[in-house]
Amino acid sequence: MTAGNGPAGAATAPAAAWWLAIRPKTLTMAIVPVFTGAAAALSVTGSFALPQFLLALSAALAIQIGTNLFNDWRDARTGLDTADRLGPTRVTASGLIAPDAVKRMAYAAFLYAAAAGALAVAIGGPPMAVIAATSIVAGYCYSRGPWPISDSPFGEVFVLAFFGGVAVLGTYWLMVGTWSLAAIACGLQIGLPAAAVLLVNNHRDREGDAASGRRTLAILLGPDATRRLYRLFLVGACLFGIVVALATGSFGPLATLAALPLALSLSRDMAAQPIGRDLNAILARTAQFQAVLGGLLVVGLLIGV
């Protein structure tokens, strides 16, 4: 049963279609920075604030899901997603879920994020208002508004900032009530492989995106420079553990150097892989790399707690 043929799109769409719509393989990009921020907070306070952690995690997931759904709806509406797209199936373009149902669910995700943000402000004060508001607006503007971020060369900067620095710092502030240079450094480290995920996506889609008028960073750089930037993101993320170690005054974050062989292996595969559907496997492995790097960083931060 599909949702494209009736008014009750959200109600008639199978759960598997909605699971596909939220792009579960991308959700680690929301989960990893929250765990990292919580570990950074725990390393400072020695205690774990479970309610704040769950609040930050649910808000981050809601923003990620809302962003994914708006992107699915918008790319089908503008003709960017077609039957011959190289990436995974998109539910709106394929007719699995009615467009209006996808859009309503996207708004519902952002509405939940706004409610969670209001609660975060009550706990963390005015700074959380800035963090929550900018995160929600940025997620909305990724695919919506007169100048969608996804059409521009700034998508990777958006991911680095909001799925790295802002998410880690926001979690840390919510649990500690202040900011720290160490939390910012952790956010940048986690944000680099998240940006690499988007870079692979845009590298794969460069031909269709260019034909549709998009000017992503991958299009502007060209294939060879994009592959070199990908390597810089991954290798740089591992080496950034040195910066985090200096910021925290602990040797623990140097554990992320253990991910360097994986970063080099992925970089070689990316360099050798022609543009096509096989890049989907590298995209998934890049998301997994961020999870591995995040796990090493969390363990490193918690050493000695």
Side-chain angles (χ1 to χ4, degrees):
M1 181 185 298
T2 65
N5 298 320
T12 60
W18 282 112
W19 182 244
L20 180 65
I22 67 174
R23 307 182 194 178
K25 291 182 180 180
T26 71
L27 297 185
T28 55
M29 293 171 62
I31 295 169
V32 170
V34 174
F35 272 85
T36 302
L42 179 57
S43 70
V44 171
T45 64
S47 60
F48 185 72
L50 181 60
Q52 288 91 324
F53 169 78
L54 294 176
L55 180 62
L57 181 62
S58 64
L61 284 169
I63 293 173
Q64 173 78 61
I65 290 170
T67 301
N68 288 345
L69 291 172
F70 268 134
N71 184 252
D72 191 302
W73 170 79
R74 184 255 181 178
D75 284 0
R77 180 172 173 267
T78 58
L80 285 167
D81 281 346
T82 61
D84 57 352
R85 65 173 265 111
L86 297 177
T89 301
R90 295 292 175 247
V91 298
T92 310
S94 64
L96 289 173
I97 305 178
D100 285 348
V102 175
K103 184 169 66 169
R104 285 195 300 270
M105 196 64 75
Y107 275 119
F110 277 109
L111 183 62
Y112 175 86
L119 183 55
V121 172
I123 297 171
M128 283 306 306
V130 176
I131 292 172
T134 55
S135 297
I136 293 170
V137 170
Y140 178 84
C141 291
Y142 182 76
S143 296
R144 299 226 64 186
W147 300 287
I149 298 169
S150 60
D151 289 0
S152 75
F154 304 113
E156 286 76 12
V157 175
F158 160 82
V159 170
L160 175 61
F162 287 96
F163 289 93
V166 174
V168 173
L169 183 60
T171 303
Y172 182 88
W173 187 291
L174 193 59
M175 300 181 76
V176 179
T178 186
W179 70 281
S180 76
L181 184 61
I184 295 174
C186 289
L188 293 176
Q189 184 175 21
I190 291 302
L192 284 169
V197 172
L198 180 62
L199 189 66
V200 177
N201 182 83
N202 290 342
H203 176 63
R204 179 200 63 207
D205 295 341
R206 63 171 58 250
E207 293 183 6
D209 285 349
S212 299
R214 278 182 162 178
R215 290 296 177 264
T216 63
L217 185 60
I219 292 171
L220 296 183
L221 290 178
D224 291 339
T226 297
R227 294 182 178 107
R228 289 194 294 271
L229 182 60
Y230 176 84
R231 181 172 64 247
L232 180 63
F233 280 166
L234 295 196
V235 173
C238 298
L239 298 178
F240 210 82
I242 300 171
V243 177
V244 178
L246 292 172
T248 59
S250 167
F251 289 109
L254 294 178
T256 56
L257 294 173
L260 190 55
L262 180 57
L264 293 172
S265 175
L266 266 171
S267 299
R268 286 192 296 269
D269 291 346
M270 173 72 166
Q273 184 62 58
I275 295 172
R277 286 187 172 86
D278 288 342
L279 282 169
N280 291 330
I282 292 181
L283 190 151
R285 289 169 58 201
T286 306
Q288 292 165 4
F289 170 82
Q290 190 212 21
V292 169
L293 186 80
L296 290 169
L297 180 55
V298 166
V299 170
L301 289 169
L302 296 180
I303 289 175
V305 173

